[in-house]
Amino acid sequence: MEQEYFGTEAVTQEDLTYVGSRFSEVREALFANPYQKVWGHDGQLTLPTYEVTLASVLHGILSLGKHYLFRQATERAVDSHADLRWGPDRKGFRRLLHPNGVCLTGLWEITEETGYSGYFCKGSQALVVGRYSTCCTETRRGHTRSLALVGKLFPTADANHRQPLRSASFITQQDIAGDHTDYINDAELRNAPDVHAWRRGSGLPILLITGALFQSVDREPSNRQLYQIAELGKADSEPTRSPEFMRLVVVPGQARIEGDALDFRDEIMAQIFDRGDPTPKRALTFCIEVTDEGSTRGTPVLQRRTFSNWRRIGKLTFDNAVISYNGDFVLHFNHPTWRADRNDPSTATRVNGHKVR
């Protein structure tokens, strides 16, 4: 895809009429157009690397907001719950911050008593579509990058369920400005990551613009609340009880994939596949850990968070994966709007597409 392509960044009627999706249709879309027909097979095309540039995040800024694409994209990320955004040309939309990713499918399972609601309850099982990505352009091991895993839970364990279901999103990431983790096995992905702005180097202006826009459009740019999962499948009369913090870490014993300057997308695929073989051979599993005990120090450009009493409550198991155009340009994840009280919907920052507090 051309670097100048943006597609439809703003909220559309397609977003506003979303009533849910079938897991099978989302999965089918992701696997429809892989960049490599068989990952790792001889003669396959090199994986594309889409760039994040200052020009792209400033595109349209002189239009006094009417056609400022990054603001439109930020509003859409918070306001749209759509799982797939095809657009009128069926080419989707350009991701301005996390354009390079690998998509995964699997199962979310909560195995321990938690005291929380919805799909944080013990015994919960949900099909999940995830996207592992890195912020900005750099994808290779040995370079500063910020690994991230976002996911959407479908409230069913039936991969062929017939009725459209509304999904619940989570967003986890390393230090937003970048980290130095070589193996995904060592990455700690949290819904409330640290921010060490100087690590972004020449990309610092993009980081500052991103933070300012999220504060303008919503409220908190570096903390992604988890209440959607705590409200998934819950009766309206039942109070929401959501954990404040969650982290995802690869389970001990998961294979470590070697390779100098290895692209994280190849690392993820090698966890599940043998090169040149289209049949999944293994699974990639993360521990789900939560706590309500944490504190934040510093300013928006230098935030350090400390936590205590992490509890392992379940696991997230991915048994298939694909690197595809639709995974990069069509799949969409909602960014939950900030709530002053994460358990109280009436304290939401944005309501019906407008910032109300």
Side-chain angles (χ1 to χ4, degrees):
M1 177 56 62
E2 307 87 357
Q3 288 292 342
E4 63 270 18
Y5 175 81
F6 290 96
T8 305
E9 298 288 357
V11 172
T12 67
Q13 191 62 28
E14 181 183 21
D15 297 293
L16 298 176
T17 57
Y18 169 79
V19 295
S21 300
R22 299 172 184 84
F23 174 82
S24 58
E25 69 179 335
V26 176
R27 178 184 58 193
E28 180 181 358
L30 296 180
F31 284 83
N33 50 11
Y35 297 120
Q36 299 178 342
K37 187 173 182 180
V38 178
W39 171 77
H41 195 277
D42 291 342
Q44 297 289 305
L45 296 174
T46 302
L47 293 174
T49 300
Y50 302 110
E51 295 184 0
V52 176
T53 67
L54 184 60
S56 67
V57 301
L58 291 177
H59 190 89
I61 194 171
L62 297 180
S63 64
L64 301 179
K66 293 181 179 179
H67 305 290
Y68 182 23
L69 294 188
F70 195 18
R71 184 179 183 88
Q72 291 177 350
T74 304
E75 292 173 338
R76 179 256 306 149
V78 181
D79 295 336
S80 172
H81 291 262
D83 299 309
L84 300 171
R85 299 188 73 251
W86 294 101
D89 57 5
R90 304 294 289 178
K91 293 182 180 180
F93 64 100
R94 177 177 174 180
R95 283 183 162 86
L96 299 177
L97 294 181
H98 286 256
N100 305 297
V102 51
C103 293
L104 306 107
T105 59
L107 189 68
W108 164 282
E109 298 177 273
I110 302 301
T111 58
E112 307 300 321
E113 295 289 351
T114 67
Y116 303 122
S117 60
Y119 271 71
F120 279 116
C121 286
K122 181 180 181 179
S124 296
Q125 290 189 333
L127 295 173
V128 61
V129 172
R131 185 174 185 269
Y132 205 109
S133 66
T134 183
C135 182
C136 301
T137 307
E138 187 56 68
T139 64
R140 299 166 298 167
R141 172 179 293 168
H143 298 263
T144 301
R145 57 187 182 174
S146 180
L147 300 173
L149 175 58
V150 299
K152 54 176 73 265
L153 275 61
F154 291 82
T156 179
D158 178 8
N160 297 306
H161 66 87
R162 296 185 177 182
Q163 297 300 317
L165 301 172
R166 293 181 68 91
S167 61
S169 295
F170 67 81
I171 301 173
T172 62
Q173 190 172 349
Q174 288 184 301
D175 190 301
I176 289 176
D179 214 324
H180 310 289
T181 307
D182 284 339
Y183 295 81
I184 64 165
N185 307 64
D186 302 323
E188 181 176 297
L189 308 175
R190 302 196 307 256
N191 72 305
D194 292 338
V195 183
H196 292 83
W198 70 83
R199 294 181 182 174
R200 189 64 69 89
S202 62
L204 179 59
I206 296 175
L207 178 67
L208 297 178
I209 293 168
T210 302
L213 261 184
F214 262 100
Q215 286 183 319
S216 173
V217 168
D218 193 39
R219 180 67 62 186
E220 171 55 58
S222 65
N223 190 333
R224 295 75 178 255
Q225 291 173 317
L226 305 163
Y227 58 80
Q228 285 191 4
I229 298 174
E231 293 176 346
L232 189 66
K234 176 186 72 65
D236 292 340
S237 59
E238 180 187 356
T240 300
R241 299 183 302 279
S242 172
E244 187 167 2
F245 304 110
M246 180 177 76
R247 70 178 179 184
L248 301 176
V249 291
V250 173
V251 295
Q254 188 82 36
R256 299 173 76 86
I257 308 301
E258 302 297 334
D260 294 336
L262 185 65
D263 190 302
F264 78 93
R265 295 170 292 182
D266 289 321
E267 184 180 5
I268 294 286
M269 294 296 281
Q271 290 285 353
I272 298 175
F273 296 93
D274 291 337
R275 282 185 174 274
D277 189 335
T279 304
K281 296 294 192 295
R282 298 167 292 277
L284 172 59
T285 304
F286 294 83
C287 299
I288 304 170
E289 301 182 357
V290 297
T291 185
D292 294 323
E293 300 177 34
S295 60
T296 301
R297 302 187 307 277
T299 66
V301 297
L302 176 57
Q303 286 189 335
R304 297 187 181 94
R305 292 185 165 103
T306 56
F307 306 89
S308 57
N309 295 322
W310 286 107
R311 294 181 294 136
R312 187 168 301 177
I313 63 170
K315 61 182 180 178
L316 179 57
T317 305
F318 294 113
D319 57 12
N320 209 346
V322 66
I323 311 169
S324 69
Y325 176 90
N326 285 346
D328 285 340
F329 284 87
V330 175
L331 182 64
H332 180 258
F333 294 87
N334 175 253
H335 190 304
T337 187
W338 182 258
R339 291 178 180 177
D341 178 346
R342 65 184 183 277
N343 294 319
D344 185 353
S346 70
T347 67
T349 297
R350 287 183 71 87
V351 178
N352 295 327
H354 299 283
K355 188 172 183 178
V356 296
R357 57 179 56 83

